[in-house]
Amino acid sequence: MIISDIKKNTKKKMLNTIKILKENLKKVRTGRANIGMLDNIQVKYHEHLTKLLKIANITLFNSHTISIQPFEKEMSSIIKKAINEANLGLNPTIQGNIIYVSIPPLTKERREEIVKLIKNITEETKISIRKIRRDSNENLKKLLKNKILSVDNEYRAQYDIQKLTDKFILEINQLLINKEKEILTL
C-alpha cells in the first residue's frame, strides 16, 4: 500500500507540473491570436477584481485578432484599460460595443528570443520532474532503511518511478517541439 501511495503521489505531482508548463506555454505570444493570452487579465468590476473571461465573451475574430464583447456595454473602456496595463504589448481598439485586440507580427529576432525563453521554461520543468523523482526515491530508501520494504520492492518501485519520469520528460520535449514550430512558422 505504501509503494502505491508514493507512486500515485509522484504521478500527481508530475501531472501538476506538466499542467503548469502547458499554462505557461499558452501565455507565450506566437504572433497569432490566442484567447489564452488574456487569461490572467483582471478587470475592476463593481469594486472587485474579476477575470476578464467572467465579464465578456472572448472569441477569435481572425488569426491575428481577438474580439471581446463585454456583457455590460459600459465595461468596454475599463477592459481596454486593463489590457493596456497588463503590458502584453497589445493595443486594443473599441468599435461600438466590441473591443478588438490585434496581435502584431513578431520579428525573426523576437521569435528566436521567444524560442530561447520556452527552452528555459521547459528545462526548468524537467528539473522539477527530476526533483519529484528524487524525492520519491528518497522516500523509498527511507522505507527500505526502516525495513518496511524489501530491496526487490524498492528496486521495482524506483524502476516504475523512472518510467514515469521518462514519460513526462518525453511529453515536455514534445510540448517544446510543438511550441517551437508554432512560433517559428509565419
Short mmCIF file of all heavy atoms in Angstrom, two decimals, residues 57-113:
data_model
loop_
_atom_site.label_atom_id
_atom_site.label_comp_id
_atom_site.label_asym_id
_atom_site.label_seq_id
_atom_site.Cartn_x
_atom_site.Cartn_y
_atom_site.Cartn_z
N ASN A 57 -17.51 37.98 -23.50
CA ASN A 57 -17.29 36.88 -24.45
C ASN A 57 -16.01 37.18 -25.20
O ASN A 57 -15.86 38.27 -25.78
CB ASN A 57 -18.44 36.78 -25.46
CG ASN A 57 -19.61 36.01 -24.91
OD1 ASN A 57 -19.45 35.14 -24.07
ND2 ASN A 57 -20.80 36.33 -25.40
N ILE A 58 -15.10 36.22 -25.22
CA ILE A 58 -13.83 36.41 -25.92
C ILE A 58 -13.77 35.38 -27.03
O ILE A 58 -13.90 34.18 -26.78
CB ILE A 58 -12.64 36.24 -24.95
CG1 ILE A 58 -12.78 37.22 -23.78
CG2 ILE A 58 -11.32 36.44 -25.68
CD1 ILE A 58 -11.77 37.02 -22.69
N THR A 59 -13.58 35.85 -28.25
CA THR A 59 -13.51 34.94 -29.39
C THR A 59 -12.39 35.38 -30.34
O THR A 59 -11.89 36.51 -30.25
CB THR A 59 -14.85 34.93 -30.18
OG1 THR A 59 -15.15 36.27 -30.60
CG2 THR A 59 -15.98 34.39 -29.35
N LEU A 60 -12.03 34.47 -31.24
CA LEU A 60 -11.06 34.81 -32.27
C LEU A 60 -11.82 35.42 -33.45
O LEU A 60 -12.70 34.78 -34.02
CB LEU A 60 -10.30 33.57 -32.74
CG LEU A 60 -9.32 32.98 -31.73
CD1 LEU A 60 -8.67 31.73 -32.30
CD2 LEU A 60 -8.26 33.99 -31.35
N PHE A 61 -11.49 36.65 -33.77
CA PHE A 61 -12.11 37.32 -34.92
C PHE A 61 -11.48 36.78 -36.20
O PHE A 61 -12.16 36.49 -37.16
CB PHE A 61 -11.94 38.83 -34.79
CG PHE A 61 -12.60 39.61 -35.86
CD1 PHE A 61 -13.99 39.71 -35.92
CD2 PHE A 61 -11.85 40.27 -36.84
CE1 PHE A 61 -14.61 40.44 -36.91
CE2 PHE A 61 -12.47 40.98 -37.84
CZ PHE A 61 -13.84 41.08 -37.88
N ASN A 62 -10.15 36.68 -36.19
CA ASN A 62 -9.39 36.03 -37.25
C ASN A 62 -8.06 35.57 -36.66
O ASN A 62 -7.88 35.66 -35.45
CB ASN A 62 -9.20 36.95 -38.48
CG ASN A 62 -8.45 38.23 -38.15
OD1 ASN A 62 -7.51 38.22 -37.36
ND2 ASN A 62 -8.87 39.33 -38.75
N SER A 63 -7.13 35.11 -37.48
CA SER A 63 -5.90 34.53 -36.92
C SER A 63 -5.00 35.54 -36.23
O SER A 63 -4.08 35.15 -35.50
CB SER A 63 -5.11 33.80 -38.02
OG SER A 63 -4.69 34.72 -39.01
N HIS A 64 -5.26 36.85 -36.43
CA HIS A 64 -4.42 37.86 -35.80
C HIS A 64 -5.21 38.84 -34.94
O HIS A 64 -4.67 39.85 -34.49
CB HIS A 64 -3.63 38.65 -36.86
CG HIS A 64 -2.65 37.81 -37.61
ND1 HIS A 64 -1.46 37.39 -37.05
CD2 HIS A 64 -2.69 37.26 -38.84
CE1 HIS A 64 -0.81 36.64 -37.92
NE2 HIS A 64 -1.53 36.54 -39.01
N THR A 65 -6.48 38.53 -34.69
CA THR A 65 -7.32 39.46 -33.92
C THR A 65 -8.24 38.70 -32.96
O THR A 65 -8.88 37.73 -33.34
CB THR A 65 -8.19 40.32 -34.87
OG1 THR A 65 -7.35 40.92 -35.85
CG2 THR A 65 -8.92 41.40 -34.10
N ILE A 66 -8.28 39.19 -31.73
CA ILE A 66 -9.19 38.68 -30.71
C ILE A 66 -10.30 39.72 -30.55
O ILE A 66 -10.03 40.91 -30.51
CB ILE A 66 -8.46 38.49 -29.36
CG1 ILE A 66 -7.32 37.49 -29.50
CG2 ILE A 66 -9.44 38.07 -28.27
CD1 ILE A 66 -6.41 37.43 -28.28
N SER A 67 -11.54 39.23 -30.47
CA SER A 67 -12.65 40.16 -30.22
C SER A 67 -13.21 39.89 -28.83
O SER A 67 -13.32 38.74 -28.40
CB SER A 67 -13.73 40.04 -31.28
OG SER A 67 -14.38 38.80 -31.19
N ILE A 68 -13.52 40.97 -28.14
CA ILE A 68 -14.05 40.88 -26.78
C ILE A 68 -15.36 41.66 -26.74
O ILE A 68 -15.38 42.85 -27.05
CB ILE A 68 -13.05 41.49 -25.77
CG1 ILE A 68 -11.69 40.83 -25.90
CG2 ILE A 68 -13.60 41.40 -24.35
CD1 ILE A 68 -10.58 41.57 -25.19
N GLN A 69 -16.42 40.98 -26.36
CA GLN A 69 -17.72 41.64 -26.25
C GLN A 69 -18.15 41.59 -24.78
O GLN A 69 -18.54 40.54 -24.27
CB GLN A 69 -18.76 40.98 -27.14
CG GLN A 69 -20.06 41.73 -27.12
CD GLN A 69 -20.99 41.28 -28.23
OE1 GLN A 69 -20.78 40.27 -28.86
NE2 GLN A 69 -22.04 42.06 -28.45
N PRO A 70 -18.05 42.74 -24.10
CA PRO A 70 -18.44 42.77 -22.68
C PRO A 70 -19.93 42.50 -22.52
O PRO A 70 -20.74 42.83 -23.38
CB PRO A 70 -18.12 44.21 -22.25
CG PRO A 70 -17.36 44.82 -23.36
CD PRO A 70 -17.61 44.02 -24.60
N PHE A 71 -20.28 41.88 -21.40
CA PHE A 71 -21.69 41.63 -21.10
C PHE A 71 -22.42 42.94 -20.79
O PHE A 71 -23.62 43.04 -20.99
CB PHE A 71 -21.83 40.65 -19.94
CG PHE A 71 -21.22 39.30 -20.21
CD1 PHE A 71 -20.50 38.65 -19.24
CD2 PHE A 71 -21.35 38.67 -21.45
CE1 PHE A 71 -19.94 37.40 -19.47
CE2 PHE A 71 -20.80 37.44 -21.71
CZ PHE A 71 -20.10 36.80 -20.71
N GLU A 72 -21.66 43.92 -20.28
CA GLU A 72 -22.23 45.24 -19.99
C GLU A 72 -21.48 46.28 -20.83
O GLU A 72 -20.25 46.36 -20.77
CB GLU A 72 -22.09 45.56 -18.49
CG GLU A 72 -22.88 44.62 -17.61
CD GLU A 72 -22.69 44.89 -16.13
OE1 GLU A 72 -22.30 46.02 -15.76
OE2 GLU A 72 -22.92 43.97 -15.34
N LYS A 73 -22.21 47.07 -21.59
CA LYS A 73 -21.63 47.99 -22.56
C LYS A 73 -20.62 48.96 -21.93
O LYS A 73 -19.58 49.24 -22.52
CB LYS A 73 -22.76 48.77 -23.25
CG LYS A 73 -22.32 49.55 -24.44
CD LYS A 73 -23.50 50.15 -25.16
CE LYS A 73 -23.05 50.75 -26.47
NZ LYS A 73 -24.16 51.26 -27.24
N GLU A 74 -20.91 49.44 -20.73
CA GLU A 74 -20.02 50.44 -20.11
C GLU A 74 -18.67 49.88 -19.68
O GLU A 74 -17.77 50.62 -19.29
CB GLU A 74 -20.71 51.12 -18.92
CG GLU A 74 -21.08 50.20 -17.77
CD GLU A 74 -22.44 49.51 -17.95
OE1 GLU A 74 -23.11 49.69 -18.97
OE2 GLU A 74 -22.80 48.76 -17.03
N MET A 75 -18.49 48.57 -19.77
CA MET A 75 -17.22 47.93 -19.37
C MET A 75 -16.14 48.02 -20.46
O MET A 75 -14.98 47.73 -20.20
CB MET A 75 -17.46 46.46 -19.00
CG MET A 75 -18.26 46.25 -17.74
SD MET A 75 -17.50 46.98 -16.28
CE MET A 75 -16.01 46.03 -16.16
N SER A 76 -16.50 48.42 -21.67
CA SER A 76 -15.56 48.43 -22.79
C SER A 76 -14.29 49.21 -22.48
O SER A 76 -13.17 48.71 -22.67
CB SER A 76 -16.21 48.98 -24.05
OG SER A 76 -17.25 48.14 -24.48
N SER A 77 -14.43 50.44 -22.02
CA SER A 77 -13.24 51.26 -21.77
C SER A 77 -12.43 50.73 -20.58
O SER A 77 -11.19 50.81 -20.59
CB SER A 77 -13.64 52.72 -21.53
OG SER A 77 -14.50 52.81 -20.42
N ILE A 78 -13.09 50.15 -19.60
CA ILE A 78 -12.39 49.57 -18.44
C ILE A 78 -11.60 48.35 -18.88
O ILE A 78 -10.44 48.16 -18.45
CB ILE A 78 -13.40 49.22 -17.32
CG1 ILE A 78 -14.10 50.50 -16.83
CG2 ILE A 78 -12.71 48.49 -16.18
CD1 ILE A 78 -15.30 50.27 -15.94
N ILE A 79 -12.17 47.53 -19.75
CA ILE A 79 -11.47 46.34 -20.26
C ILE A 79 -10.27 46.76 -21.10
O ILE A 79 -9.17 46.21 -20.97
CB ILE A 79 -12.44 45.45 -21.08
CG1 ILE A 79 -13.46 44.81 -20.13
CG2 ILE A 79 -11.67 44.38 -21.85
CD1 ILE A 79 -14.59 44.07 -20.84
N LYS A 80 -10.47 47.77 -21.96
CA LYS A 80 -9.37 48.27 -22.79
C LYS A 80 -8.21 48.73 -21.90
O LYS A 80 -7.05 48.41 -22.15
CB LYS A 80 -9.85 49.40 -23.69
CG LYS A 80 -8.74 49.97 -24.55
CD LYS A 80 -9.20 51.13 -25.40
CE LYS A 80 -7.99 51.68 -26.15
NZ LYS A 80 -8.30 52.87 -26.92
N LYS A 81 -8.53 49.47 -20.86
CA LYS A 81 -7.51 49.97 -19.95
C LYS A 81 -6.78 48.81 -19.26
O LYS A 81 -5.55 48.82 -19.13
CB LYS A 81 -8.16 50.88 -18.90
CG LYS A 81 -7.19 51.49 -17.93
CD LYS A 81 -7.89 52.39 -16.92
CE LYS A 81 -6.89 52.89 -15.90
NZ LYS A 81 -7.53 53.54 -14.78
N ALA A 82 -7.52 47.80 -18.84
CA ALA A 82 -6.90 46.64 -18.17
C ALA A 82 -5.94 45.90 -19.10
O ALA A 82 -4.86 45.46 -18.68
CB ALA A 82 -7.98 45.69 -17.66
N ILE A 83 -6.31 45.77 -20.37
CA ILE A 83 -5.42 45.10 -21.34
C ILE A 83 -4.16 45.92 -21.55
O ILE A 83 -3.05 45.38 -21.58
CB ILE A 83 -6.17 44.85 -22.68
CG1 ILE A 83 -7.29 43.84 -22.46
CG2 ILE A 83 -5.20 44.37 -23.75
CD1 ILE A 83 -8.25 43.71 -23.64
N ASN A 84 -4.32 47.24 -21.66
CA ASN A 84 -3.14 48.10 -21.82
C ASN A 84 -2.21 48.02 -20.61
O ASN A 84 -1.00 47.98 -20.75
CB ASN A 84 -3.57 49.56 -22.04
CG ASN A 84 -4.07 49.81 -23.45
OD1 ASN A 84 -3.63 49.17 -24.39
ND2 ASN A 84 -4.99 50.74 -23.59
N GLU A 85 -2.80 47.98 -19.41
CA GLU A 85 -2.00 47.94 -18.18
C GLU A 85 -1.35 46.59 -17.94
O GLU A 85 -0.44 46.48 -17.12
CB GLU A 85 -2.87 48.33 -16.98
CG GLU A 85 -3.24 49.80 -16.99
CD GLU A 85 -4.23 50.17 -15.89
OE1 GLU A 85 -4.75 49.26 -15.20
OE2 GLU A 85 -4.47 51.37 -15.73
N ALA A 86 -1.78 45.56 -18.65
CA ALA A 86 -1.22 44.21 -18.48
C ALA A 86 0.16 44.07 -19.12
O ALA A 86 0.83 43.06 -18.93
CB ALA A 86 -2.17 43.17 -19.06
N ASN A 87 0.59 45.08 -19.87
CA ASN A 87 1.92 45.09 -20.50
C ASN A 87 2.18 43.85 -21.35
O ASN A 87 3.23 43.23 -21.26
CB ASN A 87 3.02 45.25 -19.46
CG ASN A 87 3.01 46.62 -18.82
OD1 ASN A 87 2.70 47.62 -19.49
ND2 ASN A 87 3.31 46.69 -17.55
N LEU A 88 1.22 43.51 -22.17
CA LEU A 88 1.38 42.37 -23.07
C LEU A 88 1.84 42.80 -24.46
O LEU A 88 2.00 41.99 -25.35
CB LEU A 88 0.05 41.59 -23.19
CG LEU A 88 -0.47 40.95 -21.92
CD1 LEU A 88 -1.86 40.38 -22.14
CD2 LEU A 88 0.47 39.86 -21.46
N GLY A 89 2.02 44.11 -24.64
CA GLY A 89 2.41 44.61 -25.94
C GLY A 89 1.25 44.63 -26.93
O GLY A 89 1.45 44.60 -28.13
N LEU A 90 0.03 44.69 -26.39
CA LEU A 90 -1.16 44.67 -27.23
C LEU A 90 -1.83 46.05 -27.20
O LEU A 90 -1.76 46.75 -26.19
CB LEU A 90 -2.15 43.61 -26.73
CG LEU A 90 -1.61 42.18 -26.64
CD1 LEU A 90 -2.63 41.27 -26.00
CD2 LEU A 90 -1.21 41.69 -28.02
N ASN A 91 -2.48 46.40 -28.31
CA ASN A 91 -3.14 47.70 -28.39
C ASN A 91 -4.60 47.49 -28.78
O ASN A 91 -4.94 47.45 -29.95
CB ASN A 91 -2.41 48.58 -29.42
CG ASN A 91 -2.90 50.00 -29.36
OD1 ASN A 91 -3.52 50.43 -28.39
ND2 ASN A 91 -2.65 50.74 -30.43
N PRO A 92 -5.48 47.38 -27.79
CA PRO A 92 -6.90 47.16 -28.10
C PRO A 92 -7.57 48.42 -28.64
O PRO A 92 -7.19 49.53 -28.30
CB PRO A 92 -7.49 46.76 -26.74
CG PRO A 92 -6.55 47.32 -25.74
CD PRO A 92 -5.20 47.40 -26.37
N THR A 93 -8.56 48.20 -29.51
CA THR A 93 -9.37 49.30 -30.02
C THR A 93 -10.84 48.96 -29.80
O THR A 93 -11.21 47.79 -29.83
CB THR A 93 -9.12 49.54 -31.53
OG1 THR A 93 -9.40 48.34 -32.24
CG2 THR A 93 -7.70 49.98 -31.80
N ILE A 94 -11.62 50.01 -29.59
CA ILE A 94 -13.05 49.80 -29.35
C ILE A 94 -13.82 50.26 -30.59
O ILE A 94 -13.61 51.37 -31.08
CB ILE A 94 -13.53 50.60 -28.11
CG1 ILE A 94 -12.78 50.16 -26.86
CG2 ILE A 94 -15.04 50.44 -27.92
CD1 ILE A 94 -13.08 50.97 -25.62
N GLN A 95 -14.68 49.39 -31.08
CA GLN A 95 -15.58 49.73 -32.19
C GLN A 95 -16.98 49.33 -31.77
O GLN A 95 -17.31 48.15 -31.72
CB GLN A 95 -15.17 48.99 -33.46
CG GLN A 95 -13.83 49.44 -34.00
CD GLN A 95 -13.42 48.67 -35.24
OE1 GLN A 95 -14.15 47.83 -35.73
NE2 GLN A 95 -12.23 48.97 -35.74
N GLY A 96 -17.77 50.33 -31.43
CA GLY A 96 -19.11 50.07 -30.93
C GLY A 96 -19.02 49.45 -29.54
O GLY A 96 -18.44 50.03 -28.63
N ASN A 97 -19.57 48.26 -29.39
CA ASN A 97 -19.55 47.56 -28.11
C ASN A 97 -18.47 46.47 -28.07
O ASN A 97 -18.34 45.77 -27.09
CB ASN A 97 -20.94 46.95 -27.84
CG ASN A 97 -21.07 46.40 -26.45
OD1 ASN A 97 -20.48 46.93 -25.50
ND2 ASN A 97 -21.82 45.34 -26.30
N ILE A 98 -17.70 46.35 -29.15
CA ILE A 98 -16.72 45.27 -29.25
C ILE A 98 -15.31 45.84 -29.18
O ILE A 98 -15.00 46.87 -29.78
CB ILE A 98 -16.92 44.46 -30.54
CG1 ILE A 98 -18.32 43.83 -30.55
CG2 ILE A 98 -15.86 43.38 -30.68
CD1 ILE A 98 -18.68 43.11 -31.82
N ILE A 99 -14.47 45.13 -28.44
CA ILE A 99 -13.06 45.50 -28.33
C ILE A 99 -12.28 44.54 -29.22
O ILE A 99 -12.44 43.32 -29.11
CB ILE A 99 -12.57 45.38 -26.87
CG1 ILE A 99 -13.44 46.24 -25.96
CG2 ILE A 99 -11.10 45.74 -26.75
CD1 ILE A 99 -13.41 45.83 -24.52
N TYR A 100 -11.45 45.08 -30.08
CA TYR A 100 -10.61 44.26 -30.95
C TYR A 100 -9.16 44.39 -30.49
O TYR A 100 -8.67 45.50 -30.26
CB TYR A 100 -10.73 44.70 -32.42
CG TYR A 100 -12.09 44.43 -32.99
CD1 TYR A 100 -13.03 45.44 -33.11
CD2 TYR A 100 -12.44 43.15 -33.42
CE1 TYR A 100 -14.29 45.20 -33.63
CE2 TYR A 100 -13.70 42.89 -33.94
CZ TYR A 100 -14.61 43.91 -34.03
OH TYR A 100 -15.86 43.66 -34.55
N VAL A 101 -8.51 43.24 -30.35
CA VAL A 101 -7.11 43.22 -29.94
C VAL A 101 -6.32 42.58 -31.08
O VAL A 101 -6.42 41.38 -31.33
CB VAL A 101 -6.90 42.42 -28.64
CG1 VAL A 101 -5.44 42.45 -28.22
CG2 VAL A 101 -7.80 42.94 -27.53
N SER A 102 -5.56 43.43 -31.80
CA SER A 102 -4.74 42.92 -32.91
C SER A 102 -3.41 42.44 -32.35
O SER A 102 -2.79 43.11 -31.52
CB SER A 102 -4.50 44.02 -33.93
OG SER A 102 -5.71 44.37 -34.54
N ILE A 103 -2.98 41.31 -32.84
CA ILE A 103 -1.71 40.73 -32.41
C ILE A 103 -0.68 41.09 -33.47
O ILE A 103 -0.74 40.60 -34.60
CB ILE A 103 -1.80 39.19 -32.25
CG1 ILE A 103 -3.03 38.81 -31.43
CG2 ILE A 103 -0.51 38.63 -31.70
CD1 ILE A 103 -3.09 39.37 -30.04
N PRO A 104 0.27 41.96 -33.12
CA PRO A 104 1.27 42.36 -34.12
C PRO A 104 2.19 41.19 -34.47
O PRO A 104 2.49 40.35 -33.61
CB PRO A 104 2.05 43.48 -33.43
CG PRO A 104 1.77 43.35 -31.99
CD PRO A 104 0.48 42.62 -31.84
N PRO A 105 2.62 41.13 -35.73
CA PRO A 105 3.54 40.04 -36.11
C PRO A 105 4.88 40.19 -35.40
O PRO A 105 5.31 41.30 -35.09
CB PRO A 105 3.68 40.21 -37.63
CG PRO A 105 3.23 41.59 -37.93
CD PRO A 105 2.31 42.02 -36.82
N LEU A 106 5.52 39.06 -35.16
CA LEU A 106 6.81 39.07 -34.48
C LEU A 106 7.95 39.11 -35.49
O LEU A 106 7.85 38.49 -36.55
CB LEU A 106 6.95 37.80 -33.63
CG LEU A 106 5.93 37.61 -32.52
CD1 LEU A 106 6.09 36.22 -31.90
CD2 LEU A 106 6.08 38.67 -31.46
N THR A 107 9.02 39.80 -35.11
CA THR A 107 10.20 39.80 -35.97
C THR A 107 10.94 38.48 -35.80
O THR A 107 10.70 37.74 -34.83
CB THR A 107 11.16 40.94 -35.58
OG1 THR A 107 11.62 40.70 -34.24
CG2 THR A 107 10.49 42.30 -35.66
N LYS A 108 11.83 38.19 -36.73
CA LYS A 108 12.60 36.95 -36.66
C LYS A 108 13.42 36.90 -35.36
O LYS A 108 13.48 35.87 -34.69
CB LYS A 108 13.53 36.83 -37.87
CG LYS A 108 14.32 35.55 -37.89
CD LYS A 108 15.25 35.46 -39.07
CE LYS A 108 15.98 34.13 -39.00
NZ LYS A 108 17.16 34.10 -39.82
N GLU A 109 14.03 38.03 -35.00
CA GLU A 109 14.85 38.08 -33.79
C GLU A 109 14.00 37.82 -32.55
O GLU A 109 14.41 37.10 -31.64
CB GLU A 109 15.55 39.45 -33.66
CG GLU A 109 16.60 39.72 -34.71
CD GLU A 109 16.01 40.17 -36.05
OE1 GLU A 109 14.85 40.67 -36.07
OE2 GLU A 109 16.69 40.01 -37.08
N ARG A 110 12.80 38.41 -32.53
CA ARG A 110 11.91 38.22 -31.38
C ARG A 110 11.43 36.77 -31.29
O ARG A 110 11.34 36.21 -30.20
CB ARG A 110 10.71 39.17 -31.49
CG ARG A 110 9.77 39.09 -30.31
CD ARG A 110 10.41 39.57 -29.02
NE ARG A 110 9.48 39.38 -27.93
CZ ARG A 110 9.77 38.89 -26.76
NH1 ARG A 110 11.00 38.58 -26.47
NH2 ARG A 110 8.85 38.73 -25.84
N ARG A 111 11.18 36.16 -32.44
CA ARG A 111 10.79 34.75 -32.45
C ARG A 111 11.90 33.88 -31.85
O ARG A 111 11.63 32.97 -31.07
CB ARG A 111 10.48 34.28 -33.87
CG ARG A 111 9.19 34.82 -34.42
CD ARG A 111 9.02 34.38 -35.88
NE ARG A 111 7.92 35.07 -36.51
CZ ARG A 111 6.65 34.70 -36.42
NH1 ARG A 111 6.33 33.63 -35.75
NH2 ARG A 111 5.70 35.39 -37.01
N GLU A 112 13.14 34.17 -32.21
CA GLU A 112 14.28 33.41 -31.70
C GLU A 112 14.44 33.60 -30.19
O GLU A 112 14.75 32.66 -29.46
CB GLU A 112 15.56 33.77 -32.45
CG GLU A 112 15.54 33.27 -33.89
CD GLU A 112 16.65 33.83 -34.77
OE1 GLU A 112 17.44 34.69 -34.28
OE2 GLU A 112 16.74 33.42 -35.93
N GLU A 113 14.19 34.83 -29.72
CA GLU A 113 14.24 35.10 -28.28
C GLU A 113 13.16 34.30 -27.55
O GLU A 113 13.40 33.75 -26.47
CB GLU A 113 14.02 36.59 -28.00
CG GLU A 113 15.18 37.48 -28.34
CD GLU A 113 14.82 38.96 -28.15
OE1 GLU A 113 13.95 39.28 -27.31
OE2 GLU A 113 15.41 39.78 -28.86
#
